Amino acid sequence: MTFLIQQTLLYAVPLMIVALAGVFAERSGIINLALEGIMIFGAFIGVLFVRSMQGVAVFVNAASSGKWLTLQGLELLAMLVSAIMGAVFSLLLSFASVNLKADQTIGGTALNLMAPALVLFLIRIIANQNTLQMATGDAASWFMIKKSTFGIPKSTNLGFFGETFLHKVYLATYVCILIFVVLSIVLYKTRFGLRLRSCGENPQAADSLGINVYRMRYTGTTISGALAGMGGFVYALTTTNCTANGDVAGFGFLALAVMIFGNWKPLNIAGASLLFGLFKCIAAAYTSIDINGDGVYLLAQIGISSPLYRMLPYLVTLAVLAFTSSKSRAPKAEGIPYDKGSR
């Protein structure tokens, strides 16, 4: 059960933070279909930053001497850099949607097509291969928090809570959860959040009250890009061993499904993320899941083929959206370019 919970969180947290990214953009009135592309770009930037910093003496010494606080600082810095560059990348969507009043769906699709091509081009230049990896070691040896991190012997039993949430975990997972909670409060309990949401519901009314709709939509999309970029790096760090190859396994599109299923509300999104994270975990590690703790790996023995397991998260996505999308209520002004002269 500990393994199942840990793996579910590893898949659910990136989904959760990227789905919230979509909420910030769409609550301001901009459809951000570019979440997949921004995740890909953010993953590349984060891995490239870690790879570059592995040549800096302070981090080399920290890795060799086990100074885990310094290494956790590097992890947080990589998250910050990915967020900044994700925000910069999202400005392309903001400019096209707000200034040029272009079709937002086409703009997002264009970024989704451009990001993997750009990332693979840069990886070929930097590493002369199709995958960008850490210069030395792997994500677990550099960033994973274990018992030995705190000087606790491996044989020590920390209990269910300790074994689940304090052993073989990543700090990035808990940082993302904290950011999710804080930004959810900002979106629904602050004046800024109210103004942002008003621009996605009735921008003309918001403008009549002195709210700069263009600025708010830029802000919402920029926050969305920052969260998606950070989510891309967290995905790469926790599930692909801190590598970038121009692909995030469709997590950006899954995040859109989570956002719609969650009806653009953070609490619902958190629950939906855990659901999809569970099925993604089953698809990726069904041969290692011991449900009852009796040493029997039931999911690997029931005769279901491996490709079907890999399809499971996406089949569940389609099924859930088929039954729930009709009840979802998107922001009224979502995807509509704002014109000050229209009423």
Side-chain angles (χ1 to χ4, degrees):
M1 185 59 71
T2 292
F3 174 81
L4 183 61
I5 293 174
Q6 286 181 335
Q7 294 300 309
T8 298
L9 284 177
L10 289 184
Y11 289 110
V13 168
L15 275 178
M16 188 169 65
I17 202 72
V18 177
L20 185 66
V23 170
F24 265 89
E26 300 200 7
R27 284 295 185 185
S28 72
I30 302 294
I31 298 176
N32 191 356
L33 287 184
L35 293 177
E36 177 88 358
I38 300 173
M39 281 188 73
I40 291 172
F41 188 69
F44 164 73
I45 292 296
V47 174
L48 178 62
F49 179 79
V50 170
R51 179 187 174 97
S52 302
M53 290 298 102
Q54 284 185 307
V56 178
V58 62
F59 296 118
V60 173
N61 295 333
S64 60
S65 59
K67 294 180 180 178
W68 64 276
L69 280 177
T70 303
L71 297 180
Q72 297 305 313
L74 173 59
E75 181 180 343
L76 295 178
L77 280 175
M79 292 175 65
L80 178 61
V81 171
S82 298
I84 292 172
M85 294 308 297
V88 171
F89 192 68
S90 70
L91 290 176
L92 294 171
L93 177 63
S94 302
F95 180 76
S97 302
V98 176
N99 296 82
L100 303 182
K101 294 181 171 57
D103 187 289
Q104 296 168 16
T105 302
I106 295 176
T109 302
L111 291 185
N112 283 336
L113 294 173
M114 183 178 75
L118 175 63
V119 165
L120 284 174
F121 172 71
L122 294 174
I123 290 174
R124 291 288 294 179
I125 292 177
I126 296 168
N128 196 27
Q129 56 188 14
N130 293 328
T131 301
L132 187 68
Q133 301 172 332
M134 296 173 63
T136 59
D138 55 17
S141 61
W142 275 68
F143 302 116
M144 181 178 281
I145 298 174
K146 308 173 185 177
K147 295 176 186 177
S148 57
T149 303
F150 306 104
I152 301 174
K154 293 182 179 180
S155 59
T156 303
N157 190 341
L158 300 178
F160 175 76
F161 181 85
E163 293 289 340
T164 303
F165 300 106
L166 298 179
H167 179 54
K168 293 185 177 180
V169 296
Y170 289 93
L171 178 63
T173 298
Y174 299 118
V175 171
C176 284
I177 292 174
L178 178 61
I179 291 173
F180 181 87
V181 172
V182 171
L183 289 183
S184 298
I185 294 173
V186 168
L187 186 60
Y188 280 92
K189 300 296 181 180
T190 65
R191 180 181 298 178
F192 166 78
L194 178 61
R195 291 182 173 184
L196 184 77
R197 288 183 287 121
S198 69
C199 293
E201 294 291 340
N202 194 329
Q204 283 77 21
D207 190 23
S208 69
L209 295 175
I211 299 173
N212 189 323
V213 176
Y214 298 134
R215 182 183 301 168
M216 294 304 293
R217 289 190 169 183
Y218 255 100
T219 301
T221 309
T222 301
I223 294 174
S224 176
L227 291 175
M230 182 174 62
F233 171 67
V234 172
Y235 167 82
L237 173 69
T238 59
T239 64
T240 64
N241 197 26
C242 203
T243 62
N245 60 0
D247 181 33
V248 289
F251 260 58
F253 298 114
L254 275 176
L256 285 172
V258 166
M259 178 188 67
I260 296 170
F261 177 41
N263 203 19
W264 289 265
K265 296 179 180 178
L267 190 60
N268 294 348
I269 285 173
S273 298
L274 290 173
L275 174 65
F276 287 110
L278 174 63
F279 283 105
K280 189 69 177 177
C281 169
I282 293 173
Y286 68 94
T287 58
S288 305
I289 297 175
D290 182 0
I291 299 175
N292 300 322
D294 55 2
V296 177
Y297 301 103
L298 181 62
L299 295 179
Q301 298 177 3
I302 58 179
I304 297 178
S305 65
S306 176
L308 184 58
Y309 272 118
R310 289 196 291 268
M311 291 169 56
L312 189 60
Y314 308 100
L315 293 176
V316 171
T317 299
L318 291 174
V320 168
L321 288 180
F323 288 103
T324 63
S325 59
S326 61
K327 299 179 181 179
S328 298
R329 180 191 171 278
K332 291 182 180 178
E334 174 191 67
I336 303 174
Y338 176 59
D339 182 2
K340 291 178 69 73
S342 65
R343 285 293 184 268

